Amino acid sequence: FAGLSLYFEDSHDDLDDFGFDDYGSECDGIRITAFLDAGQDNLTPLGRLEKYAFSENVFNRQIVARGLLDVLREFSENENDFISVMETVARMSEDGEPTVRAELMEQVPNIAMFLHESQPNFPAAFSRYLVPIVVRYLTDPNNQVRKTSQAALLVLLEQGLICKGDMETKVCPVLLDLTEPSSDDDYKIEAVAIMCKLVTMLSKDTVEHLLLLRFCELCSDARLFQVRKVNTHTLLCIQLEPMSKFFDLCSDSLWGIRKACAECFMIVSNSTSPGVRRTKLSPLFISLISDQSRWVRQAAFQSLGRFISTFANPSSTGLYFKEDGTLLEVPRCPFDRLGLGFDSGGRKQYSKWTILVKCNKTCRHETEQTDENFNSFHYWRPPLPDISEELEMLKDQVPLQNQTAGIKEGEKEEMVVLEDGEMASLKPNVIPQQLLDQYLSMTDPARAQTVDTEIAKHCAFSLPGVALTLGQQNWHCLKDTYETLATDVQWKVRRTLAFSIHELAVILGDQLTAADLVPIFNGFLKDLDEVRIGVLKHLYDFLKLLHAEKRREYLYQLQEFMVTDNSRNWRFRYELAEQLILIIELYSHYDVYDYLRQIALTLCSDKVSEVRWISYKLVVEILQKMYACGAHDLGLNFINELIVRFCHCPKWVGRQAFAFICQAIVEEDCMPMDQFAQHLLPSLLSLSSDPVANVRVLVAKALRQSVMEKAYFKEPGSAYSDELEETVMALQADKDRDVRFFASQDPNMALMDTAALI
């Protein structure tokens, strides 16, 4: 009902009662605020509003409630009239008919948005008139009214229209009353559902101050398991103490509660310290994995990989988790010469068990500052703690001069010095062994029978996160599992791995990727299209991680992507063209010319226009590669091939493509303009008299918007300026309207997309 006018259709008897007798019987729809128009009763618009808002006819009152937004628009310019309407709304909210109250509440979010945008005193008016209605309807005896008010409350919160004061003094107290032990069960369940949604919209201080204690109490509700279940998710999302409540919920008598705990385990783990995570949460999670309920075990195994990922050490992985579970990259600073740990929030702290001694002479010079009162390192981040005493102690325990023998000053090498004095092949116990064993067991066929038929897919989905946590030094623990998943009979499992293999390559590094991932990658290239699309979408991301020699081997296999199981799968070819545009930078101009050129030309002749248009951009990128590398002879050969294939094409779509390619070449500065003028411009000008209007349109667009805007063609005495002017003038007199438009329009205007012309 946010439009400028609202319409309804009903019987003519109702219309007569409502004051619409001045409309003929042939009228199919009418304004909902027509009752405000002058009639035979000689009442003012406000008087007519009052009359129908409190009419004995329920239908009249419903229509007024439904049209309140338009009513407010009518009276918004006059402050006194506006206040009168708001007071009428407040009185209408006490209507004894539930349908009227429900209609009114449905309009509250729209009214609030309108007031917010148009009324300078919105906060006061909204708080005085509308918030009390929303709060009161939360306890309405009618179920429809309560549901409507709950939905309206959430919308108002999402839009940020309810101030913190109203939430703390008006909304939250009502919700707390409704969740009292003595409250009606239906009211309590509804209020709990609202509270659970509110925690994501309120500040952490408000939740902790007003709602946390009640959430903890509700988690112990012995009568209503629905209340305990819904509160389990919410309490865990708050990420506040007491953790003991979570431990109790994990052993709740109802499997639904324990299942909810398993689903939220990652969120809880992110908010705890590494010690609690290892000593308290890990055994707790193992108990959920071995739960007697299959549904609990299923949820636990689905969360296992994500839980393991919370053990990742940001100082080694370069990543950390925010409070909301988002994984972010730790900012790297060239001044970091010491091994620093990170707390659960990703903030740096000194690690007493490891010191990275960097023998980089340049790094030492970069930390020197001429002004002792200002340091860019201190300016952007809190200063590091003083660890000079710890350094001296470690130097006494492990004579560094003995450990660093053979390392030359200035070389970029690192070594790890432990407290016990051991030294470069450390394989730390990153996660508890039981967790790793359970994760590795997810490929056991017996698990699919006793836990989840798609358990292998969940294992494949979380494998990059587990690999990141374990690190390269522990890849041998996952290698067999990865190979098992890569040959799984379910194509969905292989597809999941195919979509993430490039991420795993980043984690493992070039050596392990070449040894262990490349063979699997090659297998995916020959798999079903559903699997191949995974590697194709990230083909550039994977190839750029390989050494040049290994990367070049794939030049021979790129042609295989042109063949699909279903020839109608044009998006597969479209994705190939997009990836080839990126891949060009990975190969020499000779390889691009010998291998990618032919694929690009084939794609330019595709039956699907979307594939052709993206392929034209690929052609332009190839030509730019030729000239950027100084291979003008190869570039000229390619140009001649484009002229033969497109400019002289018997089909008009090919000739149209040539005009588009020429425009893109000019706009991207793919080649010197003198070379363009010599080798491409004559062919482009020849198409200005093409018998097909769509071809002439693109010629006019290319000449007017791109070619003639180049300084080379604007210079006095240019050999081509006269010919260009004559051609454009001829196009301006063309019989086709679109041709005339593009030939004469302002080149800075882009009123029509090229693709729309086909």
Side-chain angles (χ1 to χ4, degrees):
F1 301 111
L4 293 177
S5 59
L6 301 174
Y7 296 86
F8 78 100
E9 296 180 9
D10 221 303
S11 68
H12 293 293
D13 293 337
D14 289 332
L15 301 184
D16 293 339
D17 292 339
F18 199 61
F20 294 110
D21 46 315
D22 52 334
Y23 289 86
S25 59
E26 71 279 358
C27 183
D28 294 327
I30 52 179
R31 285 188 305 113
I32 214 167
T33 55
F35 65 88
L36 296 177
D37 298 339
Q40 299 176 358
D41 49 18
N42 296 323
L43 294 175
T44 64
L46 283 176
R48 290 174 63 82
L49 172 63
E50 186 84 7
K51 172 184 175 180
Y52 293 111
F54 304 102
S55 169
E56 293 182 358
N57 190 322
V58 174
F59 175 77
N60 291 350
R61 305 201 302 274
Q62 289 176 342
I63 294 300
V64 173
R66 194 177 304 168
L68 281 176
L69 179 60
D70 279 357
V71 171
L72 282 168
R73 286 196 177 103
E74 295 281 348
F75 296 103
S76 61
E77 295 183 359
N78 186 290
E79 183 69 18
N80 293 330
D81 290 347
F82 169 75
I83 295 298
S84 298
V85 174
M86 294 303 296
E87 291 178 349
T88 300
V89 172
R91 290 165 53 201
M92 283 189 66
S93 68
E94 301 175 359
D95 196 293
E97 173 58 38
T99 57
V100 176
R101 300 197 302 274
E103 287 281 4
L104 187 150
M105 184 50 57
E106 285 186 359
Q107 302 307 313
V108 167
N110 294 331
I111 293 174
M113 287 299 299
F114 170 72
L115 297 180
H116 178 69
E117 296 171 355
S118 61
Q119 293 295 319
N121 62 341
F122 161 76
F126 179 72
S127 178
R128 178 179 178 183
Y129 294 107
L130 295 184
V131 173
I133 300 176
V134 176
V135 172
R136 187 169 71 251
Y137 280 10
L138 291 175
T139 60
D140 195 277
N142 183 269
N143 182 63
Q144 181 184 3
V145 176
R146 291 200 309 274
K147 295 294 186 184
T148 307
S149 66
Q150 294 164 10
L153 176 61
L154 293 177
V155 172
L156 294 172
L157 284 171
E158 289 174 354
Q159 299 296 326
L161 299 177
I162 300 184
C163 66
K164 181 180 179 182
D166 283 342
M167 281 302 306
E168 295 181 350
T169 61
K170 297 178 181 179
V171 178
C172 287
V174 172
L175 295 176
L176 293 175
D177 290 340
L178 292 175
T179 54
E180 288 284 351
S182 58
S183 178
D184 180 81
D185 288 350
D186 291 337
Y187 285 73
K188 181 184 294 185
I189 293 174
E190 292 174 354
V192 166
I194 289 291
M195 289 171 58
C196 292
K197 295 178 180 179
L198 287 183
V199 296
T200 61
M201 305 177 187
L202 302 177
S203 66
K204 194 170 183 178
D205 292 339
T206 301
V207 174
E208 183 177 6
H209 177 64
L210 295 177
L211 302 180
L212 178 59
L213 180 59
R214 180 54 51 87
F215 274 122
C216 294
E217 294 173 352
L218 291 171
C219 286
S220 303
D221 193 305
R223 291 192 309 109
L224 294 177
F225 80 92
Q226 301 100 320
V227 172
R228 296 207 311 276
K229 180 178 180 180
V230 75
N231 269 276
T232 300
H233 275 282
T234 307
L235 182 63
L236 306 184
C237 291
I238 298 176
Q239 299 187 30
L240 296 172
E241 295 292 345
M243 284 298 296
S244 58
K245 181 60 62 178
F246 175 64
F247 298 149
D248 294 338
L249 292 171
C250 285
S251 57
D252 194 278
S253 59
L254 290 171
W255 66 265
I257 307 297
R258 304 193 301 275
K259 178 176 178 288
C261 291
E263 292 171 344
C264 298
F265 224 90
M266 176 182 177
I267 299 176
V268 176
S269 182
N270 282 336
S271 64
T272 61
S273 64
V276 172
R277 184 180 301 124
R278 178 177 292 273
T279 61
K280 300 289 183 65
L281 292 185
S282 295
L284 198 60
F285 194 86
I286 294 298
S287 68
L288 292 175
I289 279 184
S290 56
D291 194 275
Q292 60 182 357
S293 169
R294 176 172 181 169
W295 305 113
V296 177
R297 297 198 303 272
Q298 185 179 102
F301 272 109
Q302 291 179 10
S303 300
L304 177 56
R306 287 175 288 174
F307 175 49
I308 290 176
S309 69
T310 63
F311 285 82
N313 184 358
S315 62
S316 59
T317 64
L319 302 171
Y320 73 96
F321 287 99
K322 292 180 62 179
E323 292 182 353
D324 60 359
T326 305
L327 194 63
L328 295 179
E329 184 177 359
V330 177
R332 294 297 185 185
C333 178
F335 308 134
D336 291 342
R337 295 185 298 169
L338 299 174
L340 300 174
F342 294 78
D343 61 17
S344 60
R347 295 174 291 273
K348 285 199 170 184
Q349 61 182 10
Y350 173 61
S351 174
K352 294 185 177 180
W353 68 276
T354 301
I355 296 179
L356 297 180
V357 181
K358 296 195 174 182
C359 304
N360 190 338
K361 186 175 182 180
T362 306
C363 187
R364 287 201 302 271
H365 291 318
E366 289 177 348
T367 59
E368 296 177 359
Q369 299 289 332
T370 57
D371 186 358
E372 295 181 356
N373 296 324
F374 175 80
N375 184 297
S376 61
F377 179 76
H378 291 168
Y379 180 80
W380 289 110
R381 300 193 305 186
L384 296 176
D386 183 9
I387 58 172
S388 56
E389 295 183 2
E390 288 88 341
L391 283 175
E392 292 298 328
M393 179 180 64
L394 286 174
K395 288 180 180 179
D396 293 339
Q397 293 178 356
V398 185
L400 291 181
Q401 62 273 20
N402 295 334
Q403 303 290 346
T404 59
I407 299 181
K408 299 179 180 179
E409 187 176 17
E411 293 180 349
K412 297 183 178 179
E413 297 183 3
E414 298 181 356
M415 64 180 180
V416 179
V417 183
L418 303 181
E419 287 184 342
D420 57 5
E422 294 181 359
M423 296 291 293
S425 60
L426 180 64
K427 295 184 180 180
N429 184 18
V430 181
I431 63 174
Q433 187 64 39
Q434 281 186 299
L435 290 179
L436 180 59
D437 293 341
Q438 292 290 349
Y439 180 80
L440 298 179
S441 73
M442 293 176 73
T443 57
D444 187 344
R447 292 292 193 192
Q449 302 296 325
T450 59
V451 180
D452 186 359
T453 55
E454 293 193 343
I455 190 172
K457 181 182 176 182
H458 296 300
C459 180
F461 179 81
S462 58
L463 195 141
V466 176
L468 176 67
T469 303
L470 296 182
Q472 297 180 13
Q473 69 273 25
N474 292 312
W475 167 243
H476 62 279
C477 300
L478 295 175
K479 179 182 176 181
D480 291 343
T481 299
Y482 190 78
E483 293 176 349
T484 301
L485 292 171
T487 57
D488 194 277
V489 294
Q490 300 181 77
W491 64 265
K492 291 183 178 180
V493 177
R494 306 194 304 275
R495 172 185 169 93
T496 302
L497 292 182
F499 270 94
S500 63
I501 192 170
H502 66 288
E503 297 176 344
L504 189 59
V506 174
I507 296 170
L508 298 184
D510 54 358
Q511 293 184 358
L512 290 176
T513 295
D516 298 333
L517 295 190
V518 166
I520 294 176
F521 183 85
N522 294 339
F524 289 156
L525 292 178
K526 303 174 183 178
D527 212 312
L528 301 176
D529 284 352
E530 290 81 0
V531 179
R532 296 170 71 205
I533 189 63
V535 294
L536 178 58
K537 275 186 171 292
H538 303 284
L539 186 61
Y540 167 77
D541 296 323
F542 186 83
L543 292 181
K544 71 178 181 180
L545 300 174
L546 304 180
H547 289 299
E549 301 79 15
K550 178 63 67 175
R551 185 190 305 144
R552 198 169 184 275
E553 296 177 5
Y554 288 96
L555 284 170
Y556 309 94
Q557 304 182 50
L558 292 176
Q559 185 70 34
E560 298 177 7
F561 281 111
M562 298 291 293
V563 181
T564 56
D565 299 335
N566 184 356
S567 60
R568 295 182 178 180
N569 189 7
W570 63 267
R571 289 182 177 85
F572 201 91
R573 302 188 296 278
Y574 184 94
E575 188 66 43
L576 173 60
E578 282 197 322
Q579 287 295 310
L580 291 179
I581 291 176
L582 301 174
I583 288 173
I584 286 176
E585 73 173 51
L586 301 179
Y587 294 100
S588 69
H589 57 277
Y590 292 112
D591 288 337
V592 171
Y593 185 84
D594 292 338
Y595 297 97
L596 303 189
R597 173 182 57 88
Q598 191 57 47
I599 299 177
L601 293 175
T602 303
L603 290 172
C604 286
S605 302
D606 197 90
K607 296 180 180 180
V608 180
S609 61
E610 285 83 353
V611 178
R612 294 198 302 271
W613 284 104
I614 188 66
S615 301
Y616 300 153
K617 296 180 181 179
L618 172 60
V619 166
V620 173
E621 293 293 329
I622 292 176
L623 187 61
Q624 187 174 31
K625 177 83 171 184
M626 301 295 105
Y627 277 91
C629 296
H632 292 189
D633 52 342
L634 295 181
L636 182 57
N637 291 341
F638 192 36
I639 287 175
N640 292 331
E641 195 169 7
L642 294 177
I643 293 174
V644 172
R645 183 179 288 260
F646 295 110
C647 184
H648 300 157
C649 181
K651 296 183 179 180
W652 69 267
V653 291
R655 302 193 299 275
Q656 185 190 55
F658 183 79
F660 174 80
I661 292 173
C662 287
Q663 182 178 8
I665 289 173
V666 173
E667 291 180 347
E668 298 295 330
D669 290 322
C670 294
M671 56 190 300
M673 283 300 100
D674 60 337
Q675 295 289 309
F676 173 84
Q678 180 180 355
H679 301 298
L680 282 172
L681 184 58
S683 298
L684 177 62
L685 294 177
S686 68
L687 295 179
S688 63
S689 57
D690 193 275
V692 179
N694 277 3
V695 177
R696 301 197 304 276
V697 165
L698 277 179
V699 172
K701 191 171 184 287
L703 294 177
R704 195 76 174 91
Q705 293 185 354
S706 303
V707 176
M708 296 184 68
E709 290 303 301
K710 287 295 181 181
Y712 177 83
F713 297 103
K714 290 183 177 181
E715 295 177 357
S718 173
Y720 301 93
S721 59
D722 294 340
E723 188 175 0
L724 280 173
E725 289 291 344
E726 293 176 1
T727 303
V728 171
M729 290 180 63
L731 291 171
Q732 289 175 351
D734 195 276
K735 61 182 179 180
D736 185 84
R737 182 186 62 180
D738 290 336
V739 176
R740 296 196 303 270
F741 169 76
F742 279 104
S744 59
Q745 74 162 350
D746 184 346
N748 295 322
M749 297 173 59
L751 300 180
M752 186 179 296
D753 184 64
T754 302
L757 299 174
I758 61 174

